[in-house]
Amino acid sequence: MERWTPPDLPARWRVHASPFVGRRAEFRALEEAWAAVESGLAQVVFLEGEAGAGKSRFIAETGRILHAHGAAVLLGSCVAEGGAPYQPFVGPVEALTSAVLAGALADVSGDAAPALTQLLGTLVGTDAAVGSSRAPTTRELHDALVTALRAAARERPVVLVLEDLHWAGATSLELLSHLARHTGDVRLLCLASYRSTAPDRSAPLASAVAELHRLEAVSRVRLSPLTEGDVAEYVVARTGSPPDRARAVAPLLLEHTGGNPFYLRELVRDLVDARGGGLEHLGSGELPTPQTVRDLYAGRLGRLGTGTRRLVEVAAVVGDEVPVELLARVAGQDVDETLEGLGHAETAGLLRSLAGDGSLVAFDHVLCRQSVLDLMLRTDLLHLHVDVARALEAGPSSAPNRVERIAHHYASAEVLGHRREAVHYLTEAASVARARLAHHEAGQALARAAELADEGADRDDLRLLAAESLRAAGDFAAACDLDRAVAVQGSQRDRLRAAVAFESATWRIGDLGFEAADLLTTTLGQADVAETDPLRITAVASLGRALTFTGDFDRGREVCARAIELATASGDRATLAHAVECSIIMNVRPRTAREQRPRCEELVRLGTAGGESDWVFNGASILALVAHLEGDAVQYERSHADLVRAAAASGEPFFQVQSSCFEWVRAFVRGDLARAEAIGEELLQSHRVGTRAELTERLSVQTFVLRREQARLGEVAPFISGSESVEQHWAPGLLALYVELGLREPARRVLDWFVEQDLARFMASPTWPATIAFVTEAAVWLRHRPAADRLREAAAEYAGHNLTVGPMLAAFGSADRYLGMLESTLGRPGAEGLLRSATEMDGRMGAPLFVGYDAVALAEHLRRSGAGATALEAARLDASARVGALHSPRLASSLERVVPPRRRADGLTRREVEVLRLLAQGLSNRELAEQLFISENTVTNHVRSILMKTGVTNRTMASRYAAEHGLLDAGP
């Protein structure tokens, strides 16, 4: 097999007219990262700095050094406008694809190569997944690049350079995030640069960097300004001045340039090359040079001939890298004349050649190009945009990013009457982006086209298409804005389409449905569309679903039933599937489960028969929820398998997230908390279904119950006062937090408030099962009989069922455990039977974690109710055995209430643990003495012993120790 020969370094990296100085600290940071890479651990280094800070030069020097040490350097960069999706990855992917096709990467040669090259081709727009039975998913495209990089890194260490990420699109940032998380054992250094200051600072990039920086293998290196010593070193190297002379002028140069390497380079160049006197101009302490970069370039442009200046201006409009042939055509010159003018521009320090044959030129720095654009008359700029667009149209169709660039130029000149052309090419650019699964870029292009469209109907069509792409990208807020605009201003049919799309987005992100219901009600009332029209039936079904999410279950079910009746009569399979889907996607409750089950089965049948994986997933996922609610383990496992297959087949990110939620619950109920935490972190990276902030809110109950099980809620104890407003928080969650932190009086305050509330609003919420669990635990802990009595009646319908929040966002096990705990607190005779029923249910559903809680609750009930010693001891032994087989700090702490613990590793006695729990509640020694019926002196001795045994020095640290070690009085 031929050994892989990586691409050569760029020509511009090999020769530099300007010296390189300083950056010792930055190089040390890179050396540490490279040492990790050589040991087999991937590293991501973000290189940040202001414009002109020397990021590109630093990367070039780093690349040259590592290339000399045998590394493969793959270079990619972003451009400010007209860039393609995944633009910084295009060059590296093309290089890797060539290596795979040549059979130079052993790990992906042979039969594996064709499929991989097809996926890589789809990623960069050079191929399609020919022969595949379905379109690839975004995850498959991302994994293809990981596979190729892994194979390349087995041949030699790889340096992946991604420059100017402040211009990167959402798809590029998603791919970068995926690489950072899935290349941990690859000999890969990803070196990514970006501007970190306004106006170029990118909010999406800043968010992505902050998120990734939490990973151990991700670091940030900031290029600080050059020091006075660095400036003196530069002057010596650049001008040949004596060191003492350089040190004398360095302070003035530093003051004027702020230590910015680019401005220092250009200022010294202007002094030495343009003014003739060199550093003698600095002798009087004055600096007769322009005060801004723009003024500096204005002077250089002013010294050019008219033809050469025209060339430079055309080049600025064309872009960052400019083919000489295109430049000549736009400028109206022959190539020889153009080359002569480019020579003058290069002498002036404006342009430089990128190719050995002189066929490609670029500006000496991006700030140079921007200054030229800023100095042009607006009318000249607009007309040049048109000229460039027409030249690109007349040029080869294979030109890189041709469609995106033409779209950019016509859109920039839309005031000159080129809106039609701009809309055409923006729409075409969106099609290109969609084919590469770059949905965010597609949505942006279509939204821009909608802004430029002259006709209202065209504008609405483009808005709806843009919203569709943005939903696929996970930008639901932007999609809803576009749908809302059409629903208010569009034609009758477009309004219905927009309202349906709006509702489809909002229920997926957990919206309560009120706005969607209002929008659909209004558009249906205004639309003169026959009742039997499939579009109207679709809208009616969507209204039914929206109503159920508002809590109006009865009306929602009635509307959905009518939609199903109309859809069945229409004979349209898609309309019927939508109506059935809307009727089942609601909060799964005992009173609706019997009705939902056959409809779920019907939707699965429709999807299977029609090859529609989306329908199969929706039917199977809700059927799994129904089966779980009812404790039908066989159906649950069958439906779970169906939904996993359907999610994989569809490639729909929303379905994949829901599928992962099912996996999270399966890990959690098994007591595999580490696996649950890993899945939860992956869920928070699901950018295609929302931002991290949106996902954090949506998954908040899931995160809470996991942190609670890990006994990690003590981490927030310093931020909880106990006086938080019940009205301004989700009361059940606040109550649960108080219970876990052992705050009795604050918890009692919330329970007193709860008893006075109308429970109907809690019961209508998707979080009602969590409310049952959290309020039960608090009421049992505090022996709060009014709350226990009120809740027992409200939760009665869940007897014999399981408690689950949302589409498997969090599970609490058998409701009979909670009902039994309430019965025990109220002194009623049905407690033991309910608790034993819970054990049977949780065992049948494969939930050993919940079986452990069932066993603890039963032992606690038997102890409270005065059961015989034999029965109590048997229950304690059973609870100990079940809990001991798991690794749940909270469950183990719960066991200590009913089973006397063995001597602790830290040596704390049972009484000392009791004192520590009360101390963590903030009680003084006097209050502790009163609570425990002992003297203050005894309390003082206990506290002193606790501090000594735990190795802490004060009561605050002792409280934290209690929280971290699961010693707080966590309640049931």
Side-chain angles (χ1 to χ4, degrees), residues 267-569:
L267 189 151
V268 172
R269 175 179 185 151
D270 222 30
L271 288 170
V272 174
D273 296 345
R275 297 179 180 274
L279 297 180
E280 297 305 318
H281 287 289
L282 301 176
S284 63
E286 298 179 353
L287 197 63
T289 190
Q291 299 299 300
T292 67
V293 172
R294 177 175 167 176
D295 292 340
L296 184 149
Y297 283 114
R300 294 185 188 177
L301 286 169
R303 293 191 291 271
L304 295 177
T306 303
T308 301
R309 177 163 184 160
R310 168 74 173 175
L311 278 178
V312 172
E313 290 175 342
V314 171
V317 175
V318 170
D320 291 323
E321 297 184 356
V322 186
V324 171
E325 183 272 336
L326 175 64
L327 182 59
R329 280 194 289 122
V330 177
Q333 301 176 352
D334 60 41
V335 173
D336 288 339
E337 184 181 2
T338 298
L339 290 173
E340 180 180 355
L342 290 175
H344 297 312
E346 185 168 358
T347 301
L350 297 170
L351 294 169
R352 56 189 167 88
S353 178
L354 289 181
D357 60 1
S359 62
L360 192 67
V361 297
F363 280 87
D364 198 48
H365 195 280
V366 68
L367 291 177
C368 175
R369 177 185 175 231
Q370 188 57 54
S371 296
V372 173
L373 291 172
D374 291 343
L375 290 164
M376 291 178 65
L377 293 175
R378 177 164 170 74
T379 53
D380 292 343
L381 178 63
L382 294 176
H383 284 287
L384 271 182
H385 274 300
V386 176
D387 292 344
V388 172
R390 287 172 174 166
L392 287 169
E393 282 182 305
S397 60
S398 60
N401 308 336
R402 174 180 177 271
V403 171
E404 294 90 347
R405 292 161 65 197
I406 296 174
H408 160 70
H409 290 297
Y410 273 133
S412 298
E414 51 93 9
V415 296
L416 298 181
H418 294 281
R419 290 192 169 198
R420 183 181 59 79
E421 295 94 330
V423 169
H424 169 76
Y425 281 105
L426 284 166
T427 304
E428 193 173 334
S431 297
V432 171
R434 276 200 304 269
R436 297 166 64 179
L437 305 187
H439 299 294
H440 194 273
E441 282 81 350
Q444 288 181 318
L446 289 166
R448 176 64 173 142
E451 292 174 0
L452 299 177
D454 293 322
E455 299 295 329
D458 292 341
R459 186 183 305 115
D460 289 339
D461 282 340
L462 289 167
R463 283 174 173 171
L464 291 173
L465 288 172
E468 182 181 341
S469 289
L470 291 170
R471 279 193 297 276
D475 193 347
F476 292 103
C480 287
D481 286 343
L482 290 165
D483 287 329
R484 188 185 293 109
V486 177
V488 172
Q489 302 172 354
S491 66
Q492 290 187 2
R493 296 191 68 83
D494 282 344
R495 289 185 182 189
L496 283 177
R497 291 168 58 202
V500 168
F502 182 89
E503 187 275 336
S504 178
T506 54
W507 78 261
R508 293 187 179 209
I509 59 176
D511 188 89
L512 293 181
F514 290 100
E515 185 178 4
D518 288 345
L519 205 58
L520 283 160
T521 300
T522 300
T523 54
L524 281 166
Q526 295 173 342
D528 184 17
V529 178
E531 185 182 40
T532 56
D533 188 298
L535 177 58
R536 187 178 188 91
I537 298 171
T538 299
V540 170
S542 296
L543 174 60
R545 179 166 57 193
L547 289 170
T548 64
F549 274 89
T550 68
D552 192 348
F553 299 114
D554 291 337
R555 186 170 168 225
R557 291 164 66 190
E558 179 183 335
V559 172
C560 282
R562 177 58 177 162
I564 291 174
E565 179 184 340
L566 292 170
T568 302

Side-chain angles (χ1 to χ4, degrees), residues 581-761:
E581 174 191 303
C582 289
S583 74
I584 62 173
I585 297 182
M586 62 179 72
N587 299 325
V588 177
R589 300 289 174 83
R591 64 191 177 99
T592 62
R594 183 173 299 178
E595 179 181 293
Q596 286 172 293
R597 182 185 281 260
R599 289 181 178 173
C600 290
E601 293 169 345
E602 181 181 8
L603 187 56
V604 171
R605 284 195 300 271
L606 286 169
T608 302
E612 298 287 346
S613 56
D614 291 12
W615 303 352
V616 173
F617 179 88
N618 285 322
S621 62
I622 302 301
L623 185 54
L625 291 176
V626 170
H628 188 273
L629 173 77
E630 296 180 333
D632 185 345
V634 174
Q635 181 63 62
Y636 174 70
E637 292 298 329
R638 184 184 301 125
S639 295
H640 177 260
D642 287 343
L643 72 88
V644 169
R645 284 193 296 270
S650 73
E652 168 64 46
F654 179 75
F655 295 160
Q656 292 167 347
V657 165
Q658 284 198 300
S659 179
S660 293
C661 285
F662 276 88
E663 292 303 320
W664 183 93
V665 166
R666 291 165 77 86
F668 182 79
V669 304
R670 291 195 308 267
D672 189 350
L673 304 186
R675 174 60 180 155
E677 183 170 22
I679 295 172
E681 182 58 32
E682 284 288 327
L683 284 168
L684 291 176
Q685 312 310 319
S686 306
H687 304 290
R688 291 293 176 98
V689 295
T691 65
R692 185 180 179 92
E694 291 169 340
L695 288 164
T696 297
E697 181 178 354
R698 244 177 281 167
L699 300 171
S700 57
V701 176
Q702 181 186 100
T703 303
F704 179 86
V705 297
L706 176 60
R707 296 290 181 266
R708 183 174 75 154
E709 209 59 45
Q710 296 170 321
R712 289 180 53 187
L713 293 181
E715 297 170 4
V716 303
F719 308 103
I720 303 299
S721 67
S723 59
E724 286 77 13
S725 168
V726 181
E727 298 288 354
Q728 294 180 7
H729 296 81
W730 180 49
L734 181 63
L735 176 62
L737 183 59
Y738 285 158
V739 169
E740 297 304 312
L741 297 180
L743 302 178
R744 288 180 176 273
E745 291 311 311
R748 191 181 306 279
R749 172 173 61 87
V750 178
L751 277 180
D752 290 341
W753 173 89
F754 181 81
V755 169
E756 299 301 320
Q757 303 304 304
D758 178 4
L759 297 189
R761 66 187 180 98

